[in-house]
Amino acid sequence: MIDDKVYSLSKIELFSGLTSAELAELAEDFQWENYVQGSEIIKQGQEEHVFYILIKGKADIMIRKEGQGVKRVRSLDKGETFGEFSLLDGKPAATTILCIEECQVLAMDSEGFARMLLRWPKLYQTFIGRLTQNLNEANLILSEAKYKEILRSALQLNQYKDKFYGLWGGRRTTAEVERKLEELSNPQGHLLLTGERGTGRQMMAWYVHQRQSGVEAPFVVVSGRRFDQQWRDLIMEPAGQEAPSAVANSNLFDIAEGGTLMIKEINLISPHTQLLLAQAINAQKKCFVIGSLNSEPDELERIIIPELRKSFAHTYEITPLRKRKRDIPILAQGFLEKLAQKNQRKVPKLNQEATQLLLSHHYQQGNVTELIQVIERAFHITEHDVIGLEQIFFGPTAEQNGHTINLLSWPTFKRILQKGTMIGWLRGAAVALFIGLVLLLLFNPQVAVSTKIFALVWGLWWPALALISPFLGRLWCTVCPFSTIMDFVQKRVHKNRGIPEFIIKYDYLLVSFLFLMIFWVEVITDMRFNPSYTAILLVGIQVSAILIAVLYPRHTWCRHFCPLGGFIGTASVGSMLEIRADASVCLNKCTTFECYVGTENAAGCPMSQHLPFLDNNLDCKLCFNCVRNCPNGSVQVNLRLAGREVWHLVRVNQGYVVFIGVMLGILGPLNYFSSSEILGATTSWKALFSLSYWGAGITGGILAWMIAKPFKTKAASLRVKLVFAFTPLVLAGHIMYQVAYIPGIHSLFLGLGYKVQSGLQSFYIPATVIVQGIATIFGLLLTGITIALVLLRTKEKPAVRLKA
């Protein structure tokens, strides 16, 4: 039956702008109803309101008047709608709908009707346009007052007065606005508001309306974007009518009589209609008119005609938020207080780092509206009484770059990820193997060595990570035993303290230091040949992860400390596998932020990522919790072109250029001192290695910082992208280092022979040389291609502010 409903809805003009998927979603709120000939679908006076679409049959609109009996107004044919007037004004039904044939209708209750308008704002204009046409007929049977009340209700669907916080900023800004409101409480002439999008023009108009007319008076808002098509005929009364009807006498100013008519983006009205509007404004005294537009005051004469400009005696410009940044902390905390009061929660506070980030942003996308969205999002996703950097997400959401293949379109794969059982089994198996390995290394290392298990850990695991991560991302993190054990303990013992800001701000330094430390200890202690030391290292990492998990929320260790995670994350930036969201679905449908907050099925993002703003793989663990939690089907698991993300970087943690520099810097000492000839040539090699290793690592990090000049409150610059473009070369260098430790590789040779006069000549190339040569070629080639594409793609793009 759902397919029948979708097919029927697709024939309705009202829904012509919806896609098949949107029609299918809409159809879920409709129910089939059948009525026999002579039955009443709606009875005049009934208080239960339903929205109907006539699919089959015919019906009459009937009205009962005292002393006149029942009269037929007109007939309804297939495809016509009815019941919307009562839903809009909340009054008892004004007419009866009588079936003159057997009728089949699609019915939607009041909750579904409200949900439809909320889910598809683009239906507002189409719906109101149809209402305008229908009201011309409906007014033949309704009084003028009834007509104005219904149309006013339809127009007020576009109001957002419940979203008005009533906050202007600091003491100085508030005093200025209050003076203007007092001045306009008894104005001599109409008002024109100017200012950028999101500065609060409609809120200002609402408070002017309150001062003049009161809350109960009509406050009608129309848009200039489609004014010519929808409202031009309702500007002035038609001339030449001897006995004008109630409909003819009810123009826009009648609808707003006794209150305020606001016309947004008045400059978008055509010049001819602007002239008619100016004449109408000057001729009427029924309501106060407020126009608004996005322009500087000195440009008004250029973008609207002089006659219309003269119709507004008062002009007031609302200053952009970036020009009054001292108001930002006051506004932000005020929004939090009102949100807390509304949700009956303790008021969270913005810490210093979060406040500085708010102050550094320029709000060119939406001014105060953009700030409101940022604060509302932070309020709903924060788990503490303090809002920090990790709860602040700015600006436009992530964009899809190039063609991708969504693996969730494969039902079997989608079902596996949403159920999560298989991933749980894999994690359990990884934990069992990890515990078994540690116990074996601690209590029976001889078996670990004799069975080659110990050699495989060092000889295959590290090289495999360097090879797999550039293609499949942080897939190791999906089943990482350190993370699984840490998570198991955290669910039972946790302090859930706020993460110190220095950890969030300087996590790349922590990751870089721990990475340097692990490699240094590995070489100094000959850990690759000592099972006990290896076991101690693994236990030490696990204990550290558990301690961090007990103290701080989510997977703080994985995001801000783990050196292995830093290595895999950096390698994953250009991988072929990504998790992204359909940002349009997130912004239009999601109000509960399940991807961040979590549900009963799975915890929220362990890396504190808000999916619509996720546009790189550095901090995505591929845990797939978002796939299980998202109720709107927004999440996508995509295959894409490898390496493409590097030249599209925007919100990446730019401090990781230091980590890339460190990894590149240590390659020289690691590869040089791994030679047995070097180790045997001097007894002080450890001191020489330590000096060169730490010197090269620190120097590499400093040089990368100086070259890239990373700045967290801006989008990734060309220099940052160029440093990340060296990732393939860095990985190639580490593969060259790790390949020498693959078990048995030194016994493999590639033999080549050729025939000469004296016989057959042959020579052999070690497998290590071949692999290292291939890694070098690919590293240089991919790095060169990536650098070229970065330069090509960013050549014409201007710098933008951070949107993460």
Side-chain angles (χ1 to χ4, degrees), residues 35 39-50 52 60 62-64 70 82-83 86 91-98:
Y35 294 87
S39 61
E40 296 176 344
I41 302 177
I42 295 178
K43 187 173 183 179
Q44 185 176 346
Q46 77 176 40
E47 297 184 353
E48 182 180 357
H49 304 312
V50 180
Y52 294 96
D60 281 342
M62 312 294 291
I63 187 168
R64 180 186 297 275
V70 179
F82 52 94
S86 297
K91 301 296 180 63
T95 60
T96 295
I97 308 299
L98 179 67

Side-chain angles (χ1 to χ4, degrees), residues 646-647 718-719 721-722 725 783-797:
V646 176
W647 59 82
L718 173 60
R719 294 184 178 193
K721 293 177 183 180
L722 287 174
T783 297
I785 293 174
T786 307
I787 290 174
L789 287 171
V790 166
L791 293 173
L792 179 65
R793 297 280 179 157
T794 58
K795 185 177 180 181
E796 302 297 332
K797 291 185 178 180

Side-chain angles (χ1 to χ4, degrees), residues 455-456 458-464 467 528 735-748 767-768 771:
L456 289 175
W458 283 107
L460 288 182
W461 180 52
W462 264 106
L467 288 170
R528 289 179 178 271
I735 291 172
M736 292 172 60
Y737 170 71
Q738 299 289 351
V739 73
Y741 296 97
I742 296 178
I745 196 169
H746 292 286
S747 302
L748 295 177
T768 53
V771 175

Side-chain angles (χ1 to χ4, degrees), residues 252-318:
L252 271 177
F253 305 106
D254 293 317
I255 297 166
E257 184 174 4
T260 302
L261 171 64
M262 182 181 184
I263 306 174
K264 299 192 298 182
E265 307 304 338
I266 199 169
N267 57 301
L268 298 180
I269 302 174
S270 68
H272 178 65
T273 305
Q274 285 187 31
L275 180 59
L276 295 178
L277 179 61
Q279 295 170 356
I281 291 175
N282 295 330
Q284 67 86 31
K285 296 183 179 179
K286 298 178 179 179
C287 66
F288 183 67
V289 180
I290 300 177
S292 74
L293 70 164
N294 181 357
S295 180
E296 300 288 339
D298 54 2
E299 296 181 351
L300 296 179
E301 300 293 346
R302 182 176 57 83
I303 60 177
I304 61 176
I305 64 173
E307 291 84 353
L308 183 57
R309 174 67 185 88
K310 293 176 182 178
S311 300
F312 297 98
H314 305 275
T315 302
Y316 182 64
E317 180 186 14
I318 302 179

